[in-house]
Amino acid sequence: MELTLWTYEGPPHVGAMRIATSMEGVHYILHAPQGDTYADLLFTMIERRGKRPPVTYTTFQARDLGGDTAELVKHHIREAVERFKPKALLVGESCTAELIQDQPGSLASRMGLPMPTFSLELPAYSKKENWGASETFYQIVRGLLKNQKPEDSDFSSTKWKDEERNPKVNLLGPTLLGFRCRDDVLEIQKLLSEHGIDVNITAPLGASPSDVLELTKADLNICLYPEIAETTCTWLEKNFGIPFTQSIPIGVEGTKEFLKEVHEFLGMNEPNPKELEQKSRLTWYSQSVDSNYLTGKRVFIFGDGTHAIAAARVATEELGFEVVGLGTFSREMARQVRAAAKGLGLEAIITNDYLEVEKSIKETSPELVLGTQMERHSSKRLGIPCAVISTPIHVQDVPARYSPQMGWEGANVIFDDWVHPLMMGLEEHLIGMFRHDFEFIDGHQSHLGHLGGHQDKEELDELELNSGNENLAENIPIWTDEGKAELNKIPFFVRGKVRNNTEKYAKQAGCRKIDSETLYDAKSHFKA
Amino acid sequence: MGGETLLKETGPREVFCGLTSIVWLHRRMPDAFFLVVGSRTCAHLIQSAAGVMIFAEPRFGTAILEERDLAGLADAHEELDRVVKNLLERRPEIRTLFLVGSCPSEVIKLDLARVAQRLNTVLKGKVTVLNYSGSGIETTFTQGEDGALKALIPLMPSSDQKQLLLVGTLANPVEDRLINLFKRLGIENVSSFPPRQSTNLPSIGSGTKVLLTQPYLGDTARELIAKGAEILKAPFPLGVEGSTLWMKAAADAFNIKSLLFESTVQPLILRAKKALESQKEKLQGKRIFLLPESQLEIPLARFLSRECGMELIEVGTPYLNKGLMGSELDLLPKNVRIVEGQHVENQLDRVRGEQPDLVVCGMGLANPLEAEGISTKWSIELVFSPIHGIDQATDLAELFARPLNRHQLLNHKQLTPA
Ligand code: SF4
Ligand code: SF4
């Protein structure tokens, strides 16, 4: 039993819903109680979908449990098939139905339904949303393709040359409720077409069951979101010989590497890296003198594995930030994130507990947080600028404008999204400086000052300095009033860093009390 | 009763389960913690319904059952003890802990009453542990509050003193206003249940006259009657008419002279009716369809038809308690179609067929209907907003006028979003 106040991922059947809702002509029969219908609002509210998810919930009640719940399931299946006439049917259960063991999947398979029917077994008490999405996508692809024998057993990614056509690839992994998938797909399509590469099928987003049957016509699979598509890509490689890409086209370097990999697989001449350099404004914007102040900005990163690792790379290699924390909520990606963190001299944070993440944000006192919607809340409370880079998302993370994360335009978006909150930070500081001028109108605040209306008094107090006696035992130096006053003169956006450094220095130097002198000593110590 | 048509419908539903009530209950009683014993689905439901209301550390959470908890129930009890112990260490300010049952905990027959009893012995009164069910197999949306209140009743001190008890969560300012009005009538002894502090429970006994502020408290009402209280028969305090009759029921029970009642209430009524006019203009003749969710549908329909001149196409309700709803049903216009239960697909077919001007529905259905060109109002908003009492009638009407205004403003065409 695990105490959860908030969870980064929903249950696995929500992952299955993401696949069903992303696709066309697929319907999902979910054996579940009525309350589970809340999941519809994730799509209609967060994504602002104008259509209901294609899901029929059996909404069994306590009084049904004594009777024939299996008959109830069959009744709902019949009704839904009649009404929606899907091209493929998914049948599964949520946590509660898993306990009653009606096995709706096998019930359905014995009903002689006219369309391919897939039974989903998604263990609700051990797995989570992304796993459920990945497994569902895999079940659909495998189910539809397993009878298709590879035409020629010697598959080759370069056979497009003999066939005198453009090479074509599948884009696999984009879904609803993913991070910026809608725009990433467009951006990657554009990117590939600039290099004469066609997109065969994009799936699951927008794909119908008949599209899935066409997957095997591609020369290469692009695994855009490994969390969702890696299992499927691996199966397609094993059974049809179609290889898949490993690199993620996020950031200028990521996109270059991605293009290189795609060209290699397809037996094409690599594009000139010098030319590629000019494709995104990020490169120049980051070089421009204005960006000098970005150097060494302390950034804390938390999200799904793919976006977190990519963000760490862009932050260090392309923006000149210093990554002070890196982690993921995704256990499936823990190994990769650990490795990436290790490369940066860090220990990865692998947890589903947002309070643990918040604690480590506090401890590392970053100047920028890149996280999920939950880190946005935590950062608001802590007064640290934040940009969202990963699911779980909120309605404002599905912007009206085109804003991919991938490809050249994605890199532009990243520059803006990550640097603007920092500008705000600077502005905040200026407001602080001018607060006492008579022209200053109180109440003018950037979004950081707003604190979402739920500022927790205790939260801020926790940020206060050690002045209590309880610290004596732990040998943590104590701030004198004079030291505190001096620290408060330091602009807030570097205050956390100065405070940490000073305490570190004081401990090293064996100081028991921190006054203004200790502060200056520490400053010169770290500069030296 | 009026000549309404009562129908029953079964089929796939699209409603919240009782766990959702935690979203407003935990705000009402800041010294209480709501611990759901359930699955990741339950945790995800509450956080999705709570949406924007994320605190540093909320006063609700889920003890998520894992595979090994399902394997052995004895261990599940131990595990729950451990989770509760950790939680209370972390949150020493908590005075009342509600263990909230869910579908999974009920299906595996985890006896939360027993767990609560055991924990109460261990905690020796430092924290009171209670339990109720908010499961989707037994409760819909607001019924969770019914369960929570019912669980508190045994802790209420008994007293036969004459008092008025307002039962059901109200927004704090609305509650203050209503209590103040009763005082003006000379009813001094007024308390609320649930109280603002979980430990500050009002007394109950044969002198207690109960006014229900919310229509979904059937179990609570029954339990209060068993404690000797009398439930005053009245419509619910929504709109000018309902609120006036509701207050009148108390005035009569406390033998308040009608002269005093009239002189106190009439000015409010006049003011409210005048203010209501402008909203009424917008709502008059507009056709409304209420999908079932909160059990507020019938009182709302009564207000919208009698005071705002709206035409009722269909009034859905997840559950119809004819006893509590009697005074409301009497006021509804003849031949109104009232549907208890739901078949969401058939119901939406009827919505499409009728093309109403406004649909009251859950959050999952709102945007799809808007995309078809039909204006909507979220039912959950009506549970959160301060809508009770004569003074709030205009605000209540405005909640329905707003989407219609917007619809007009945007000169609605059929949108076809992605
Ligand atoms: S319907 Fe049942 S399983 Fe679903 S969220 Fe509600 S209590 Fe949990
Ligand atoms: S501040 Fe509001 S809109 Fe933004 S993430 Fe939080 S709840 Fe959502």
Side-chain angles (χ1 to χ4, degrees):
Chain A
M1 213 174 278
E2 180 203 1
L3 175 65
T4 302
L5 302 176
W6 191 86
T7 166
Y8 285 92
E9 287 182 80
H13 73 261
V14 168
M17 282 183 68
R18 281 172 58 188
I19 303 300
T21 311
S22 297
M23 293 182 69
E24 303 287 333
V26 173
H27 199 86
Y28 184 17
I29 306 283
L30 186 61
H31 197 22
Q34 58 182 7
D36 291 8
T37 59
Y38 79 88
D40 282 3
L41 76 86
L42 304 171
F43 298 89
T44 66
M45 300 285 298
I46 296 177
E47 286 261 5
R48 294 183 213 252
R49 285 262 302 173
K51 275 187 265 170
R52 289 167 64 212
V55 181
T56 296
Y57 304 83
T58 62
T59 59
F60 59 89
Q61 294 176 295
R63 59 164 184 263
D64 299 320
L65 291 180
D68 194 350
T69 42
E71 196 41 57
L72 182 88
V73 174
K74 287 199 268 181
H75 174 76
H76 281 282
I77 294 177
R78 253 179 252 122
E79 263 196 11
V81 164
E82 167 78 8
R83 176 181 282 269
F84 298 104
K85 303 190 173 48
K87 300 276 180 296
L89 193 69
L90 305 176
V91 184
E93 49 202 359
S94 76
C95 52
T96 309
E98 186 180 327
L99 299 170
I100 337 178
Q101 300 187 325
D102 279 329
Q103 272 141 359
S106 45
L107 287 177
S109 67
R110 277 181 265 124
M111 286 173 69
L113 297 169
M115 72 284 297
T117 301
F118 305 113
S119 165
L120 297 178
E121 276 169 37
L122 310 174
Y125 297 91
S126 54
K127 301 291 191 189
K128 295 185 203 153
E129 179 178 335
N130 278 340
W131 184 89
S134 165
E135 175 69 12
T136 304
F137 184 42
Y138 164 67
Q139 290 295 343
I140 294 175
V141 170
R142 198 190 65 134
L144 289 170
L145 290 177
K146 64 173 184 254
N147 296 327
Q148 223 182 75
K149 279 269 155 296
E151 285 158 26
D152 52 307
S153 45
D154 41 70
F155 173 93
S156 152
S157 285
T158 55
K159 110 186 131 212
W160 57 277
K161 294 181 180 170
D162 309 328
E163 294 175 4
E164 293 179 17
R165 55 166 173 87
N166 279 352
K168 52 187 181 185
V169 301
N170 296 320
L171 303 186
L172 301 184
T175 59
L176 292 173
L177 292 177
F179 194 70
R180 305 281 166 90
C181 292
R182 174 196 75 190
D183 297 341
D184 281 350
V185 166
L186 292 176
E187 183 65 18
I188 295 303
Q189 267 169 352
K190 187 167 154 232
L191 180 72
L192 293 171
S193 79
E194 278 170 11
H195 295 273
I197 300 163
D198 294 343
V199 171
N200 178 47
I201 298 289
T202 301
L205 194 60
S208 64
S210 51
D211 290 336
V212 170
L213 294 174
E214 304 288 303
L215 281 177
T216 50
K217 302 216 166 109
D219 302 305
L220 174 68
N221 282 325
I222 309 285
C223 185
L224 270 190
Y225 305 94
E227 275 88 345
I228 309 295
E230 196 174 70
T231 309
T232 302
C233 287
T234 309
W235 185 82
L236 286 169
E237 177 164 48
K238 228 163 139 195
N239 288 272
F240 294 90
I242 313 172
F244 63 97
T245 53
Q246 303 285 336
S247 48
I248 302 296
I250 294 182
V252 176
E253 292 308 311
T255 305
K256 273 161 59 181
E257 204 173 279
F258 168 77
L259 282 174
K260 182 162 178 260
E261 190 186 7
V262 170
H263 280 78
E264 265 169 19
F265 268 125
L266 295 171
M268 301 165 83
N269 289 333
E270 266 176 50
N272 178 350
K274 274 272 154 308
E275 259 166 49
L276 295 184
E277 209 93 324
Q278 309 305 317
K279 285 286 190 176
S280 169
R281 290 187 197 95
L282 180 142
T283 313
W284 164 240
Y285 271 42
S286 188
Q287 266 169 34
S288 68
V289 64
D290 192 64
S291 296
N292 247 315
Y293 84 100
L294 300 179
T295 319
K297 283 274 177 210
R298 299 160 55 80
V299 46
F300 183 98
I301 300 169
F302 192 83
D304 67 43
T306 302
H307 286 92
I309 293 171
R313 179 171 183 195
V314 175
T316 48
E317 294 179 17
E318 300 180 33
L319 295 169
F321 291 163
E322 181 196 350
V323 177
V324 295
L326 177 62
T328 183
F329 52 81
S330 158
R331 303 238 167 243
E332 290 91 10
M333 294 290 282
R335 196 176 44 79
Q336 291 96 312
V337 175
R338 281 209 183 91
K342 203 162 164 225
L344 296 164
L346 298 166
E347 172 117 30
I349 304 138
I350 315 288
T351 180
N352 190 38
D353 178 356
Y354 76 95
L355 290 172
E356 205 177 299
V357 179
E358 182 171 321
K359 195 165 142 250
S360 64
I361 295 177
K362 265 188 215 168
E363 282 165 5
T364 49
S365 53
E367 291 154 279
L368 175 69
V369 173
L370 302 175
T372 72
Q373 68 137 321
M374 187 39 104
E375 281 65 52
R376 171 168 54 220
H377 284 278
S378 302
S379 306
K380 257 186 205 169
R381 282 196 291 273
L382 299 172
I384 303 170
C386 174
V388 172
I389 58 152
S390 157
T391 57
I393 53 172
H394 210 279
V395 60
Q396 72 198 65
D397 305 310
V398 188
R401 64 177 188 279
Y402 182 58
S403 34
Q405 290 288 291
M406 295 184 167
W408 308 129
E409 185 59 21
N412 295 339
V413 169
I414 284 175
F415 185 90
D416 288 350
D417 281 359
W418 298 9
V419 171
H420 285 178
L422 290 171
M423 298 277 202
M424 291 294 224
L426 195 63
E427 201 179 296
E428 193 84 4
H429 163 57
L430 294 178
I431 289 171
M433 266 171 65
F434 294 121
R435 193 181 352 245
H436 302 294
D437 294 6
F438 71 91
E439 299 97 329
F440 183 79
I441 303 159
D442 207 16
H444 172 110
Q445 287 178 319
S446 81
H447 71 294
L448 294 173
H450 178 56
L451 289 158
H454 286 306
Q455 176 178 356
D456 228 17
K457 183 69 179 66
E458 299 112 90
E459 274 305 312
L460 290 188
D461 287 349
E462 270 184 52
L463 276 181
E464 281 194 355
L465 306 169
N466 310 315
S467 44
N469 305 328
E470 72 274 18
N471 293 320
L472 281 174
E474 291 177 43
N475 238 340
I476 292 173
I478 289 171
W479 287 82
T480 64
D481 288 344
E482 191 243 353
K484 271 192 241 175
E486 194 63 37
L487 182 65
N488 275 328
K489 289 183 202 157
I490 292 165
F492 86 97
F493 53 89
V494 282
R495 204 180 291 151
K497 180 176 168 184
V498 172
R499 177 193 153 188
N500 277 359
N501 280 349
T502 310
E503 285 174 2
K504 196 153 101 193
Y505 167 80
K507 257 190 265 176
Q508 279 173 13
C511 301
R512 309 284 302 168
K513 284 190 176 5
I514 302 179
D515 54 19
S516 58
E517 281 315 306
T518 329
L519 226 147
Y520 285 109
D521 286 345
K523 193 174 165 198
S524 51
H525 173 82
F526 283 106
K527 292 270 156 173
Chain B
M1 275 186 207
E4 73 287 322
T5 318
L6 297 181
L7 302 166
K8 280 197 188 209
E9 197 172 49
T10 54
R13 295 173 149 228
E14 175 97 14
V15 287
F16 282 132
C17 61
L19 295 184
T20 322
S21 304
I22 293 171
V23 176
W24 63 89
L25 282 172
H26 86 280
R27 301 184 73 198
R28 173 68 186 184
M29 292 180 278
D31 61 344
F33 192 100
F34 293 81
L35 181 64
V36 176
V37 183
S39 64
R40 189 165 304 282
T41 316
C42 307
H44 204 227
L45 159 95
I46 304 179
Q47 80 189 41
S48 305
V52 294
M53 297 197 292
I54 296 165
F55 303 86
E57 247 191 270
R59 271 174 294 95
F60 54 80
T62 308
I64 295 186
L65 295 162
E66 287 162 350
E67 218 119 64
R68 50 202 168 90
D69 300 311
L70 303 176
L73 270 189
D75 306 342
H77 284 155
E78 266 166 44
E79 278 286 285
L80 190 52
D81 284 0
R82 180 184 59 80
V83 167
V84 167
K85 191 165 156 273
N86 289 348
L87 175 71
L88 293 177
E89 269 165 20
R90 200 183 162 94
R91 308 297 296 271
E93 75 282 9
I94 297 305
R95 295 277 76 88
T96 305
L97 175 69
F98 288 92
L99 299 176
V100 189
S102 66
C103 305
S105 78
E106 262 160 45
V107 169
I108 63 169
K109 303 209 163 32
L110 192 56
D111 187 351
L112 294 182
R114 245 184 56 212
V115 177
Q117 209 175 34
R118 198 181 54 239
L119 285 167
N120 276 323
T121 328
V122 179
L123 293 164
K124 298 192 194 77
K126 272 179 284 185
V127 178
T128 308
V129 185
L130 298 170
N131 77 287
Y132 73 93
S133 168
S135 83
I137 53 176
E138 291 188 315
T139 63
T140 305
F141 197 26
T142 49
Q143 282 174 309
E145 175 171 344
D146 197 15
L149 297 193
K150 188 178 154 198
L152 279 166
I153 293 176
L155 302 180
M156 293 167 93
S158 24
S159 152
D160 288 338
Q161 58 162 327
K162 188 147 191 191
Q163 62 162 343
L164 177 62
L165 187 62
L166 308 181
V167 177
T169 298
L170 287 172
N172 288 354
V174 168
E175 178 198 10
D176 290 341
R177 172 69 177 160
L178 292 172
I179 290 179
N180 183 283
L181 288 177
F182 284 121
K183 293 213 161 133
R184 281 201 222 164
L185 291 175
I187 307 175
E188 287 292 336
N189 207 353
V190 189
S191 329
S192 304
F193 181 59
R196 293 187 194 185
Q197 292 292 320
S198 67
T199 46
N200 198 7
L201 287 169
S203 65
I204 180 88
S206 59
T208 306
K209 310 284 178 203
V210 170
L211 272 182
L212 295 178
T213 67
Q214 303 281 12
Y216 44 74
L217 299 171
D219 286 355
T220 302
R222 208 167 307 125
E223 214 62 21
L224 290 169
I225 293 169
K227 290 274 181 183
E230 183 195 347
I231 311 283
L232 302 177
K233 276 214 172 347
F236 292 93
L238 299 175
V240 178
E241 182 188 36
S243 305
T244 307
L245 290 170
W246 183 79
M247 289 181 70
K248 183 82 171 92
D252 290 345
F254 284 77
N255 298 316
I256 305 301
K257 295 222 166 53
S258 47
L259 209 64
L260 175 59
F261 183 78
E262 293 303 323
S263 66
T264 310
V265 174
Q266 272 311 328
L268 306 182
I269 296 179
L270 284 178
R271 189 178 58 193
K273 281 195 171 162
K274 193 156 162 253
L276 203 51
E277 277 310 309
S278 65
Q279 302 302 331
K280 191 175 168 181
E281 246 167 58
K282 295 167 195 154
L283 296 172
Q284 184 89 41
K286 293 282 192 303
R287 304 164 69 242
I288 188 166
F289 197 121
L290 296 102
L291 263 54
E293 192 162 55
S294 66
Q295 289 190 49
L296 283 165
E297 295 83 9
I298 290 175
L300 286 171
R302 182 258 305 153
F303 164 69
L304 292 170
S305 88
R306 291 173 66 96
E307 293 182 52
C308 304
M310 290 187 91
E311 187 188 328
L312 305 175
I313 298 175
E314 179 170 322
V315 183
T317 180
Y319 173 70
L320 181 60
N321 184 330
K322 284 195 199 142
L324 292 185
M325 228 32 119
S327 314
E328 290 287 349
L329 294 173
D330 288 344
L331 293 174
L332 278 181
K334 300 259 170 279
N335 302 324
V336 170
R337 190 161 74 214
I338 298 178
V339 179
E340 181 185 8
Q342 188 175 36
H343 186 303
V344 66
E345 307 296 348
N346 294 348
Q347 200 162 34
L348 289 174
D349 283 348
R350 295 200 293 276
V351 169
R352 290 185 188 109
E354 296 277 2
Q355 288 292 309
D357 297 297
L358 189 62
V359 174
V360 176
C361 63
M363 293 202 277
L365 295 174
N367 264 339
L369 285 172
E370 293 278 352
E372 292 181 31
I374 297 171
S375 293
T376 59
K377 175 91 265 166
W378 294 327
S379 49
I380 196 168
E381 205 181 335
L382 297 157
V383 184
F384 289 153
S385 309
I387 56 171
H388 296 80
I390 300 173
D391 307 298
Q392 304 297 323
T394 315
D395 287 0
L396 177 56
E398 212 259 320
L399 283 177
F400 293 91
R402 207 179 295 159
L404 292 175
N405 283 345
R406 186 162 183 79
H407 189 93
Q408 220 169 24
L409 196 73
L410 298 181
N411 182 21
H412 230 73
K413 296 170 241 38
Q414 181 130 333
L415 298 174
T416 42

